[in-house]
Amino acid sequence: MESILKNGIVYDPTNNIKGEKKDVMIRDGKIVDSVSSDAQVIDVTNKLVMAAGVDVHSHIAGPKLCVGRLYRPEDERRGVKAKTATARAETGFSIPSCPATGYRYSKMGYGTVAEAAVPPLEAKHTHEEIMAIPNIDISPLALFGNNWFVLQFVKEGDLEGLAAFVSAWLKISKCYGMKVVNPCGSEAWGWGMNVHGIDDPAPYWDVTGRQVMVALTKVNEMLGLPHSMHIHTNDLGHPGNYKTTLETMKAVEDLKKNPSVSRNQIMHCTHLQFHAYGGTTWRDAKSGAKPLADYINKHDHITCDVGQVTLDETTTMTADAPMEYDLYKLSGLKWANKDIELETASGLIPCIYSGKAPVSSLQWAIGLELFLMIDDPWKVVLTTDSPNAGPFIRYPRIISWLMSSDRRTEMIENKEVHKWVSKRTDLPTLDRVYDWNDIATVTRSAPAKILGFEERGHLGVGANADVAVYDIEPENFDPTKAANAAVVEDVLGRALYTIKDGQILVKDGEIAKVVPSRHLWTNIQGFEQQEKKVLEDIMPMFNKYYTIKFENYKVHDHYIEPSIEYKVKASK
Amino acid sequence: MAYEEPVTDYDKIVENCTCAFCGSNCDDLDYLVKDNHVVGVRHACRLGASKIMEDEDQRLLVPMVRDENGELVEVDWDTALDKAAELIANSVRPLFYGWSETSIECMKRGLELTEYVGAVIDNQATICHGPTVQAVQNVGYPLMTLGEVKNRADMVVYTGSNPMNAHPRHLSRYTTFPRGWFRQRGRFDRTLVTWDPKFSDTAKMSDIWVPFEENGDYEFVDAIRAVLKGKELKKDVIAGIPKEDIVELTEAMTKVEFGALFFGLGLTHTLSKQRNIDIAIQLVQDLNAYTKWVLLPMRGHYNVNGFNIFLSYEMGFPYGVDFCRGYPRYMIGETTTIDLLNRKEPDVFMVIAADPGAHFPGGALKHLTEIPVIQIDIHWGPSTEIADIVLPGTFIGVETAGTSYRMDSVPIHMKKAIDPPETCREDEWIVNELFQRVKKIKEASK
């Protein structure tokens, strides 16, 4: 099967192509440099062409999503859509049903999404949901930061054992990489407590967040995982927390990156906006974006995504369970909790981010500050930590804010956002705007690079033929105009074409074809002996304290059909 | 109970099988297999073992169709499936009920059929923990996996449930007796509490029994919340319990390190229905200001929770979902089974892995006798008496592998230990076959 996208305006930052008029050629699901005359011709003259989007951090499949759907029918009733000849029915706004999740990402021109939090005990549930999500490939990240085995290894200083454990558990849970959430804090939540800062130990274990994340980062590099340590730092959502975030970044400053990996960073700080607050309480809270952006500008071992607040009613959900209880005490809305034995905790609560509210507006501005203050767009990636700061379907709206300083000023002047934006952040002084190349970087090239995908996020020869075409002519359109913000949002929300592995999945903003999503997972090679030994060592503890047999714990192969296995050779 | 000799005559042992009885989904059972029959089960409770071993009792083995004399007569698979498909294809308001004792894989096929014909799909939650789900939607859902209780809990409360009879291994495997990481002495490190009007077998072995009066549950929990909030109780006796006892209990609950509240249908189906669960959930939320508390509904069938999870991730709503307009609608009292039957709306009823004949109220059953009923099940039961077409399925977790979700939502892959009877078909196969045949009929008539 061959096809050729003719005369599009191509933005492909990975290959340094900035708005050139050129053809994109596809054969057998890959980008190639020539096709035969039999190729199907798709005329995209002067239209915006990019690689399909890659999302570095989103919550789309798994147990806490399901608690969310179960306990918020009011959210499910938003976004209801009848089935069509090709697509199933859709429900949900912030926590869409699985089919809706796939369709909506696909319509925005996305092709790959990282599911950011998988408790290994319930990994089967995550994979079952991935099977129900069509049209996007999904790389699940397993939670390790509060796992009892991890805490034990860290306490004993056994890095070799920890590496073998991580390697075995990625195979067992069929996950792509490591995620750490509020290390030691979610374990403290087992007793209704939290940790404060990175040097406050978890009760009983007497291990600190710093020790856990340093050890896991070292292990991540020892194993040479394609993605780096992916961390949700301690103290999320607390005024003054930017100091903890800065400490976290500094804690891994001197660690060595594995030379075999393609990424640049050794730590990815997720939804940085939630970790970038100054002040001491919500009364005197202010932006802490500047010191964080300055640090990232000066250091290359850190990347981040933003977790941009979209000013919607949404559902927050995180393995940072104590923080969710704090939010419950603040808002009084209906609180859900889901603790997982020996592994992690999680909490959920609905959240209404309103432009009329000072705190929501502050958060909105801090997110944009991070985008605009971090100089290199390869280090800062677009996310909403969906659905935490807002649902992923708002990405086009965020892009319209990034591309137009006039639109941001308009929002501030029209009082679409609270005056705290002017008083407590530097956003009004930032007139930087993103161009299409920057947008392609923060939504495609950079997230793919950060996740360690070499075949995604770009249009070079040999890349997957994942392409998005939008119904906009970059050469005849001024996205910096405030009046054009709505056009940007509209056009990016319904791709003219979304092509995945050479197949047209979306045409004219509608689902044209449905294909199963693939489960992307990492299989570490050459560590089998160590894994075997560590499994023997931990099995007595496993059998005694889990409530499920080890044989029934793992994710069996039929839960990951179809999948892509990334074989990684462990090296030190 | 007479002493039974241990089974020694078997061909092989299949280890770590999952019990397909209650929502505890114990996954540590060993089946002793001889000549393709389970002749013994190790580690299971009596309920689970008897279900697994005496599975052939009243087993449905061949497809049947009711003839003009009202008798069920044996037919071949094609005849039965064609007849069932025809009924479904020609109906205007089909209702597909049950699903809680079959696999997620089968539910997937069932949902495809439901969407295709625009039917209503519903499960047993509609008559059991439906009020719980409503309460969760009202006020929240602070839950955990059972291992959290095993490893941490120093107080376990059961109310409106009697696990010693209904979930016999719940206390021994998950909550009260096992030695946990932080509770190395097991039972001795925990306080077991039962709130129940009845001196149940669970109450008998509890450290504290609170016998509030019938329908007094809401008032009793309300009193605890009042004490928690620093209010003085005005009445001396509340819901049959002296106020001093309530104050004492409240203090004890705030002083534990980790408390877990389990509740069953005794709480969901007394006078205040979902309001009982509302206030129980709110109590747990309040208690978290003092110390750690969590709760969990005691789910009955081994996959009743699985259906709610499955339907939520596929279609956004947990049960009682109506596809007649091409998009899912969910409204308790409107799109739920009993209400539809009471209004005499459905014109075809398919029941799979459930026994409405034994459990539905009279009015609903009356309508079932007036419309065609298709039954997919493994045993003869009251529903078979009202069924017009009977399609014999297989036993998940024994004869067929499949996924289920434990009461605390931990997914388990239930394995296959023996081959099913030759004349029976897997549930997933049956439902898919119906779907394919219905599709053929519908497309031919276009």
Side-chain angles (χ1 to χ4, degrees):
Chain A
M1 238 299 268
E2 292 182 327
S3 39
I4 176 163
L5 290 161
K6 270 205 130 20
N7 293 327
I9 306 296
V10 177
Y11 285 88
D12 181 10
T14 309
N15 297 302
N16 218 9
I17 295 166
K18 298 180 181 172
E20 283 173 35
K21 189 171 212 166
K22 70 198 284 296
D23 300 341
V24 175
M25 285 166 277
I26 297 169
R27 186 189 311 124
D28 299 332
K30 295 278 176 190
I31 304 284
V32 290
D33 52 9
S34 68
V35 285
S36 69
S37 55
D38 297 339
Q40 170 201 12
V41 177
I42 303 167
D43 180 19
V44 292
T45 304
N46 294 333
K47 304 288 186 196
L48 175 64
V49 176
M50 300 177 180
V54 177
D55 195 338
V56 82
H57 184 106
S58 187
H59 300 273
I60 53 171
K64 66 184 183 305
L65 270 290
C66 228
V67 171
R69 296 186 191 105
L70 194 76
Y71 98 130
R72 293 206 68 202
E74 70 275 19
D75 189 87
E76 300 308 313
R77 291 196 172 100
R78 294 173 71 188
V80 170
K81 209 175 156 207
K83 66 175 178 182
T84 67
T86 41
R88 299 173 66 190
E90 295 181 29
T91 55
F93 173 70
S94 68
I95 15 177
S97 60
C98 288
T101 299
Y103 301 148
R104 290 173 194 178
Y105 262 114
S106 205
K107 283 180 190 176
M108 295 196 311
Y110 272 66
T112 308
V113 180
E115 156 54 50
V118 181
L121 176 63
E122 299 194 344
K124 283 198 262 315
H125 183 165
T126 303
H127 287 288
E128 279 220 300
E129 290 201 15
I130 293 175
M131 285 195 279
I133 299 174
N135 286 11
I136 45 174
D137 292 342
I138 298 166
S139 51
L141 305 176
L143 290 159
F144 283 101
N146 294 280
N147 186 299
W148 287 6
F149 295 111
V150 170
L151 298 179
Q152 187 97 331
F153 283 121
V154 173
K155 194 172 183 172
E156 290 162 3
D158 180 4
L159 272 192
E160 184 87 4
L162 182 59
F165 174 78
V166 169
S167 177
W169 246 244
L170 287 179
K171 285 191 179 81
I172 285 167
S173 60
K174 297 288 190 292
C175 282
Y176 181 76
M178 272 206 269
K179 168 86 181 294
V180 169
V181 175
N182 188 10
C184 298
S186 302
E187 166 53 25
W189 179 244
W191 305 112
M193 297 184 242
N194 197 356
V195 296
H196 306 283
I198 65 173
D199 292 314
D200 188 11
Y204 167 80
W205 298 96
D206 203 25
V207 167
T208 64
R210 180 194 296 272
Q211 289 170 302
V212 169
M213 65 203 177
V214 169
L216 285 173
T217 308
K218 281 181 183 164
V219 161
N220 200 84
E221 298 309 314
M222 260 168 85
L223 295 172
L225 292 178
H227 184 37
S228 65
M229 155 67 69
H230 190 112
I231 190 164
H232 156 145
T233 65
N234 300 103
D235 280 345
L236 180 142
H238 300 149
N241 65 4
Y242 82 91
K243 289 182 194 148
T244 301
T245 313
L246 213 46
E247 281 292 302
T248 305
M249 293 173 175
K250 285 180 184 164
V252 294
E253 204 173 271
D254 300 326
L255 300 186
K256 286 223 160 28
K257 184 166 75 85
N258 187 313
S260 68
V261 298
S262 64
R263 59 183 151 84
N264 293 330
Q265 86 284 3
I266 61 166
M267 180 184 267
H268 177 80
C269 292
T270 191
H271 41 71
L272 197 61
Q273 176 273 130
F274 285 118
H275 307 269
Y277 306 146
T280 55
T281 67
W282 282 120
R283 285 180 188 282
D284 67 355
K286 58 181 182 183
S287 171
K290 185 93 175 49
L292 296 180
D294 286 348
Y295 183 86
I296 292 172
N297 285 336
K298 286 189 197 117
H299 294 84
D300 290 330
H301 70 288
I302 293 286
T303 56
C304 69
D305 62 85
V306 170
Q308 175 62 41
V309 163
T310 62
L311 304 175
D312 283 292
E313 177 189 316
T314 188
T315 314
T316 67
M317 50 178 69
T318 168
D320 195 340
M323 192 280 306
E324 292 285 345
Y325 189 70
D326 289 349
L327 274 184
Y328 167 65
K329 283 190 285 187
L330 274 175
S331 72
L333 297 174
K334 53 186 180 185
W335 169 62
N337 185 71
K338 179 83 201 272
D339 295 346
I340 311 279
E341 63 206 55
L342 283 79
E343 292 182 358
T344 184
S346 74
L348 298 93
I349 200 157
C351 187
I352 302 158
Y353 295 102
S354 162
K356 297 206 165 44
V359 171
S360 309
S361 302
L362 178 72
Q363 292 174 309
W364 172 83
I366 292 172
L368 291 173
E369 277 186 309
L370 289 169
F371 273 119
L372 303 169
M373 286 175 168
I374 296 172
D375 298 331
D376 181 357
W378 285 87
K379 290 182 181 173
V380 57
V381 168
L382 191 155
T383 64
T384 59
D385 183 18
S386 179
N388 281 298
F392 64 83
I393 48 171
R394 293 294 190 229
Y395 289 0
R397 182 172 295 177
I398 297 169
I399 292 172
S400 77
W401 294 332
L402 294 176
M403 297 194 89
S404 173
S405 150
D406 289 355
R407 171 69 188 129
R408 301 194 297 263
T409 308
E410 187 181 80
M411 287 179 78
I412 295 165
E413 285 175 355
N414 287 353
K415 299 199 168 53
E416 288 175 57
V417 287
H418 190 269
K419 57 179 185 283
W420 271 26
V421 170
S422 310
K423 289 187 167 169
R424 303 197 181 196
T425 81
D426 294 331
L427 185 65
T429 66
L430 300 169
D431 55 8
R432 179 177 165 195
V433 288
Y434 274 40
D435 61 20
W436 288 116
N437 195 56
D438 296 331
I439 296 298
T441 309
V442 300
T443 56
R444 276 103 173 128
S445 308
K449 174 127 184 153
I450 289 167
L451 284 167
F453 294 128
E454 290 173 15
E455 76 292 5
R456 293 164 195 269
H458 69 99
L459 297 171
V461 170
N464 288 356
D466 295 358
V467 192
V469 182
Y470 299 104
D471 192 10
I472 204 164
E473 297 185 357
E475 288 171 341
N476 302 315
F477 180 79
D478 181 4
T480 63
K481 275 193 192 156
N484 278 342
V487 180
V488 170
E489 182 180 347
D490 177 46
V491 166
L492 297 188
R494 43 182 189 88
L496 195 56
Y497 291 100
T498 303
I499 295 172
K500 179 130 184 54
D501 301 307
Q503 306 183 69
I504 297 174
L505 302 187
V506 173
K507 193 167 182 236
D508 296 330
E510 292 300 328
I511 298 296
K513 187 171 183 186
V514 176
V515 296
S517 300
R518 286 172 301 195
H519 308 239
L520 312 181
W521 66 287
T522 305
N523 190 354
I524 293 159
Q525 313 279 291
F527 228 61
E528 290 75 14
Q529 289 306 317
Q530 293 94 322
E531 283 177 30
K532 201 164 162 263
K533 185 180 174 303
V534 92
L535 280 176
E536 277 165 20
D537 291 349
I538 66 173
M539 215 31 68
M541 180 169 161
F542 187 101
N543 287 334
K544 210 164 163 197
Y545 301 112
Y546 268 101
T547 55
I548 184 167
K549 291 300 230 182
F550 183 69
E551 191 188 340
N552 297 324
Y553 178 81
K554 69 170 184 190
V555 175
H556 305 75
D557 288 343
H558 67 268
Y559 289 106
I560 56 162
E561 284 292 322
S563 71
I564 296 179
E565 175 185 339
Y566 289 85
K567 284 199 169 117
V568 171
K569 194 152 169 37
S571 52
K572 287 184 197 169
Chain B
M1 196 87 53
Y3 172 73
E4 286 174 36
E5 290 291 333
V7 179
T8 51
D9 181 21
Y10 53 86
D11 305 333
K12 61 170 179 178
I13 300 180
V14 186
E15 292 183 328
N16 299 331
C17 296
T18 307
C19 182
F21 188 74
C22 77
S24 297
N25 296 42
C26 300
D27 70 324
D28 59 344
L29 310 194
D30 294 346
Y31 295 169
L32 310 181
V33 177
K34 184 181 168 61
D35 298 335
N36 197 43
H37 284 282
V38 180
V39 292
V41 181
R42 289 184 184 156
H43 306 153
C45 68
R46 280 186 140 334
L47 296 176
S50 69
K51 182 171 176 188
I52 293 157
M53 279 195 299
E54 287 157 26
D55 185 42
E56 299 310 306
D57 188 32
Q58 295 198 317
R59 181 72 189 257
L60 292 169
L61 285 166
V62 274
M64 293 184 286
V65 172
R66 203 171 286 280
D67 66 9
E68 55 270 24
N69 301 324
E71 299 294 327
L72 281 173
V73 290
E74 295 181 1
V75 294
D76 60 51
W77 271 99
D78 274 328
T79 310
L81 287 167
D82 281 340
K83 184 118 210 295
E86 207 172 295
L87 285 171
I88 294 170
N90 294 324
S91 67
V92 292
R93 194 89 174 109
L95 170 53
F96 303 151
Y97 170 83
W99 311 100
S100 301
E101 299 221 335
T102 188
S103 64
I104 300 289
E105 288 79 0
C106 173
M107 293 173 198
K108 248 184 203 305
R109 301 281 95 81
L111 183 59
E112 279 172 9
L113 175 64
T114 306
E115 284 184 79
Y116 183 74
V117 297
V120 178
I121 189 165
D122 201 3
N123 84 324
Q124 283 94 322
T126 205
I127 53 168
C128 66
H129 271 289
T132 303
V133 177
Q134 283 175 273
V136 161
Q137 292 166 351
N138 290 341
V139 294
Y141 201 21
L143 75 160
M144 72 305 165
T145 67
L146 289 162
E148 282 287 284
V149 182
K150 166 167 148 176
N151 287 313
R152 298 185 201 267
D154 52 351
M155 182 179 271
V156 178
V157 180
Y158 286 98
T159 184
S161 67
N162 180 12
M164 285 310 290
N165 293 171
H167 301 81
R169 295 182 77 207
H170 204 264
L171 283 80
S172 62
R173 187 166 149 84
Y174 300 117
T175 63
T176 310
F177 291 96
R179 292 156 196 261
W181 182 267
F182 295 103
R183 304 293 163 212
Q184 288 293 336
R185 297 188 309 143
R187 176 70 178 92
F188 303 104
D189 284 347
R190 311 184 205 263
T191 308
L192 178 62
V193 185
T194 301
W195 308 341
D196 207 319
K198 193 178 143 189
F199 191 50
S200 65
D201 283 341
T202 310
K204 281 176 200 161
M205 60 195 307
S206 298
D207 300 298
I208 302 170
W209 173 43
V210 185
F212 55 66
E213 59 199 25
E214 276 185 40
N215 290 320
D217 22 29
Y218 188 95
E219 195 183 6
F220 170 69
V221 179
D222 193 38
I224 301 182
R225 288 191 75 206
V227 176
L228 265 187
K229 288 181 190 302
K231 307 261 193 256
E232 173 125 16
L233 298 179
K234 296 269 163 64
K235 292 202 290 187
D236 289 337
V237 177
I238 293 157
I241 309 296
K243 79 171 175 187
E244 298 75 28
D245 290 3
I246 293 176
V247 172
E248 194 184 330
L249 178 69
T250 309
E251 274 172 13
M253 289 173 79
T254 57
K255 292 209 172 92
V256 297
E257 290 178 320
F258 185 107
L261 174 71
F262 295 92
F263 61 92
L265 297 189
L267 200 64
T268 56
H269 284 290
T270 54
L271 202 58
S272 309
K273 289 280 179 107
Q274 80 270 21
R275 298 298 169 201
N276 287 328
I277 316 297
D278 275 4
I279 198 160
I281 294 170
Q282 286 174 307
L283 170 66
V284 166
Q285 290 172 335
D286 291 348
L287 281 166
N288 271 280
Y290 297 88
T291 183
K292 176 79 175 196
W293 272 84
V294 288
L295 95 178
L296 197 73
M298 301 287 286
R299 304 305 296 267
H301 306 281
Y302 72 87
N303 213 6
V304 61
N305 188 28
F307 179 91
N308 300 144
I309 287 175
F310 163 76
L311 205 55
S312 296
Y313 72 65
E314 290 267 358
M315 282 298 142
F317 302 113
Y319 63 98
V321 183
D322 182 356
F323 287 87
C324 72
R325 295 187 189 167
Y327 55 88
R329 287 190 306 143
Y330 158 75
M331 180 56 72
I332 309 294
E334 286 288 324
T335 60
T336 33
T337 298
I338 303 297
D339 309 275
L340 288 164
L341 291 174
N342 283 346
R343 291 199 306 270
K344 298 185 182 298
E345 278 185 39
D347 57 350
V348 163
F349 185 83
M350 182 171 85
V351 51
I352 171 163
D355 199 353
H359 301 116
F360 277 8
L365 271 183
K366 186 161 181 296
H367 185 60
L368 284 184
T369 63
E370 288 159 6
I371 59 170
V373 172
I374 303 160
Q375 184 194 25
I376 303 172
D377 210 331
I378 54 176
H379 291 124
W380 193 293
S383 297
T384 318
E385 304 293 342
I386 52 170
D388 299 285
I389 299 175
V390 177
L391 305 168
T394 58
F395 194 175
I396 314 282
V398 180
E399 298 166 351
T400 308
T403 309
S404 67
Y405 285 79
R406 207 162 73 181
M407 61 166 70
D408 59 352
S409 307
V410 171
I412 302 179
H413 177 62
M414 307 173 78
K415 59 170 102 159
K416 169 189 162 125
I418 59 172
D419 292 324
E422 264 178 42
T423 49
C424 295
R425 297 285 182 273
E426 292 178 357
D427 296 1
E428 187 186 347
W429 181 89
I430 297 172
V431 177
N432 186 52
E433 199 62 26
L434 285 175
F435 176 41
Q436 301 307 334
R437 286 169 200 242
V438 167
K439 218 153 92 174
K440 219 183 232 169
I441 298 169
K442 287 255 188 194
E443 268 156 29
S445 66
K446 259 182 199 166

